[in-house]
Amino acid sequence: MHEMIEMDAQVPLELGGQRLDQVAAQLFPEYSRSRLQGWIKAGQLLLDDRQVKPREKVVGGEWLRLEAELEVFTEWQAEPVDFPIHYVDEHVIVVNKPAGLTVHPGAGTPNGTLLNGLLHYDPDLAAVPRAGIVHRLDKDTTGLMVVARTVEAHTELVRYLQARDIDREYEAVCKGVMTGGGEVEEPIARHPTQRIKMAVRPGGKPALTHYRVLKRFAHHTHVRLKLESGRTHQIRVHMDHIHYPLVGDPVYGGQFSLPRQCPDLLREALQGFQRQALHAKALGFPHPATGQWMHWEIDLPEDMQALLQVLEEESPADEY
């Protein structure tokens, strides 16, 4: 299915001398630069009824005519999928993603994902790229993520993400006792031999993670982290890189191990924690329609709260 778009706009004189694609991005801000470039190349966005190249300079006063088809993604099926909504308005949905829920359909998970559930919740999301999903959380990471309900909101939120104007803070429980906070600035790319893993590699995409200590225990640390970029598995890769992997991480945590002289209750808690102990705790961004700063924080899920309670009782730092 496709949705037809028909729009006209006159090029203001003060934009004379700029490239057509740059001008189009200003006159049609609800669509991304790359999408507009594609329409220009396909002859669906015309300058005074002429097909020209995206880099052609405008004089000012010309008319832009946009007649394009916006693909509606029907290959993804709407399905009833349970996911808690933390905030909703006509432009955005803020989801509190539970553990075990995959965000986007893929080869291993063709359905039953958050995306399928979003299409069931709001069928109009079929006309928004990726059903409004702007950023992802790993399947077993919990917490806050934003979904756009309109093409305009999606374009704006992607812009915020690229400009690092979306604040995302996480809490995690790491193996090992940190002496203090810091940052990890290391490039991340696909692991050279293990395709499901990412790794710190020269030539990878730039990635920066800030972290600070919230609480030290005898063999673990409760930390708060802030992302300056959003690479796949970024926190998990960076914490493992500095030798503080996340508790329960099945991919980056290494072989399961217990501290020496580990109390029974703590042993049970660590053995029973079957996912990475990572939660998207806080989310903030300018509202895509009003520009007003929006901010949310959400409690840790019950399993992480229970783990921290056991660590507090069974592994206090001051006893070692």
Side-chain angles (χ1 to χ4, degrees), residues 57-110:
K57 300 284 179 63
V58 302
V59 176
E62 302 101 321
W63 280 91
L64 297 189
R65 174 68 176 161
L66 175 61
E67 290 186 5
E69 290 186 336
L70 195 64
E71 185 176 358
V72 176
F73 295 100
T74 54
E75 69 268 28
W76 295 322
Q77 299 299 312
E79 300 173 41
V81 174
D82 187 31
F83 59 91
I85 292 176
H86 190 64
Y87 170 86
V88 64
D89 63 29
E90 60 189 288
H91 305 281
V92 298
I93 304 168
V94 175
V95 172
N96 177 19
K97 193 187 85 63
L101 180 61
T102 300
V103 168
H104 192 278
T109 316

Side-chain angles (χ1 to χ4, degrees), residues 35-186:
R35 186 186 293 275
L36 290 164
Q37 286 173 336
W39 284 336
I40 293 168
K41 291 173 184 174
Q44 294 174 307
L45 201 167
L46 303 175
L47 180 70
D48 279 343
D49 293 325
R50 294 182 298 115
Q51 181 175 353
V52 297
K53 293 180 179 178
R55 61 179 61 248
E56 178 149 334
K57 300 284 179 63
V58 302
V59 176
E62 302 101 321
W63 280 91
L64 297 189
R65 174 68 176 161
L66 175 61
E67 290 186 5
E69 290 186 336
L70 195 64
E71 185 176 358
V72 176
F73 295 100
T74 54
E75 69 268 28
W76 295 322
Q77 299 299 312
E79 300 173 41
V81 174
D82 187 31
F83 59 91
I85 292 176
H86 190 64
Y87 170 86
V88 64
D89 63 29
E90 60 189 288
H91 305 281
V92 298
I93 304 168
V94 175
V95 172
N96 177 19
K97 193 187 85 63
L101 180 61
T102 300
V103 168
H104 192 278
T109 316
N111 45 37
T113 69
L114 175 62
L115 185 147
N116 301 114
L118 286 165
L119 291 172
H120 183 266
Y121 171 79
D122 180 4
D124 289 344
L125 286 170
V128 184
R130 296 192 178 277
I133 291 170
V134 176
H135 63 111
R136 303 188 195 186
L137 295 176
D138 297 337
K139 177 183 177 181
D140 286 323
T141 298
T142 57
L144 297 173
M145 57 179 288
V146 62
V147 176
R149 298 191 76 179
T150 66
V151 172
E152 295 84 353
H154 188 271
T155 300
E156 202 66 12
L157 287 168
V158 168
R159 206 171 273 156
Y160 293 158
L161 201 63
Q162 292 169 343
R164 300 183 179 179
D165 289 336
I166 296 183
D167 280 356
R168 289 169 295 161
E169 294 195 26
Y170 295 72
E171 287 189 19
V173 182
C174 298
K175 295 180 185 179
V177 184
M178 291 185 180
T179 55
E183 63 181 40
V184 185
E185 187 168 12
E186 296 287 353

